Amino acid sequence: MLLFGVQHVLVMAATPISAIFLMSATLGLDAELTVDLLSAAFVLSGVGSLIQSLGLWKFGPRLPFVMLPGGAPLILFLAIAEQHGMRTASGAVVITAVFLFLVLPVFTRLLKFFPELVIGTMIVIVGVNLVKVGGVLVTGQPGEPGFADRGNLLLGLATIGFTVVFYLLFTGVLRQVAVMLGLLAGAVLAACLGKFDLSGSGAGGPVSLPEVLPFGSPQFNLVAAVPLLLYSLASMAEATGQTVINAEAVGKSIDRRVAVPRTVRGDALTSLIGGAFGLPLMVTSGENIGIVRVTGVRSRYVTAAAGVLLIVIGFLAPVTRAIGAIPAAVVGGTAMVVFAVITVLGVQMLARCDLSDHANTFICAVAIALGLLPILIPGVYDSFPSNARILLDSGVAIGALTAVVLNVLFHHVRPAVAARFAAGGTRHRDGD
């Protein structure tokens, strides 16, 4: 059980590491705070995995789930933090977690507004944004000293190359952890090149506790939290699919009306706790569902063991400091691969939609265009009022909102209006 738990940890470990490095690089956090957040990310990932795997009252579906930070909520969290500060971003996480609890009783009625067309479009935008942010870890910010340093570029590309080689040569379980092996190989290469400083990994005590409220008490700004609130609606739809797929993978018969709300409550509870430790929203890991399918090991106690391991790693100060010492270029190379997979998942979801329907193509095209605009051209909305920029500067939020609105107009409002006119015309002819 322990060995299978290690396997789950190896598969998902690159994501929290990448997420915290992205936070650190984007917000200019110091090394000590970065290590503290990394410790919190591992601990909360472990706590969430235990909740989802073992179940706690009405929390957790008792399925083999592993939780982690990252993905779309990370980008939205960073956007809020850059515009309003970390205290407001942490407050937005708390608001969103509470919102999940409140909206859960009626969320099934909202699912019709989030079909695969909307969710797939949003995931594509999220993936492109994440790849860009991961690339900045390798290159640095344009205009800053050391931008596009050749050594960092080669280190990032080498990490990607290692990942490709491992995936090409290995099969089965080793192929599943190719991303993690690529990260380790990149770290070894960095050490050989003298870019891996482990001098601080032994500093301090052997055990460290994540700091509560590392950025101070949260500030609650409902307007600033709008992008995360919009995302949370789509995340509930995603949780529905993940719960069903996971249950199928382990051969467990579930009642969706019971199991799905338990998954969402587990996400919300873990995110609520994570908000107090300065983390973005916590989500269930789709990669670990793939591990269950590949290995055939269906026990939820295996992912519970992974949760315990994650908590232990988070409390081991030398381990988290050693991880924190990995050069940003190595993590960036890994992040680009991990997050590009998100884009592919979005494309796969869109492929299941009827894009031969011109309305669907139009909805997807307009949403992607508006969603990518602030991502590809930063500052495009700088002349707009600050309140409007809260939404406009978030490509993920504006893309998702555009897709939802256009989907409602084309697939709900327009057919209803057409049906009403048709009914009116029929009555008029009958009257004649």
Side-chain angles (χ1 to χ4, degrees), residues 237-279:
E238 185 178 356
T240 301
Q242 284 192 335
T243 303
V244 172
I245 292 172
N246 203 344
E248 290 176 353
V250 301
K252 182 177 180 180
S253 178
I254 62 169
D255 183 347
R256 296 188 187 188
R257 294 170 296 179
V258 176
V260 172
R262 291 178 70 98
T263 301
V264 175
R265 290 191 200 102
D267 288 350
L269 178 60
T270 309
S271 295
L272 186 62
I273 300 171
F277 289 90
L279 297 176

Side-chain angles (χ1 to χ4, degrees), residues 349-421:
M349 189 171 291
L350 289 176
R352 295 196 295 267
C353 302
D354 182 13
L355 292 181
S356 62
D357 183 335
H358 295 301
N360 287 344
T361 302
F362 185 80
I363 292 169
C364 183
V366 173
I368 288 178
L370 294 180
L372 292 182
L373 183 60
I375 296 172
L376 301 178
I377 310 177
V380 66
Y381 295 117
D382 283 353
S383 61
F384 283 65
S386 57
N387 287 337
R389 286 173 52 202
I390 293 173
L391 181 62
L392 294 174
D393 281 343
S394 172
V396 175
I398 197 65
L401 181 61
T402 301
V404 169
V405 171
L406 292 180
N407 179 68
V408 170
L409 290 176
F410 278 89
H411 295 309
H412 295 275
V413 175
R414 185 182 181 188
V417 172
R420 180 170 297 182
F421 273 109

Side-chain angles (χ1 to χ4, degrees), residues 184-195:
L184 295 175
V188 171
L189 177 60
C192 294
L193 297 176
K195 294 190 175 185

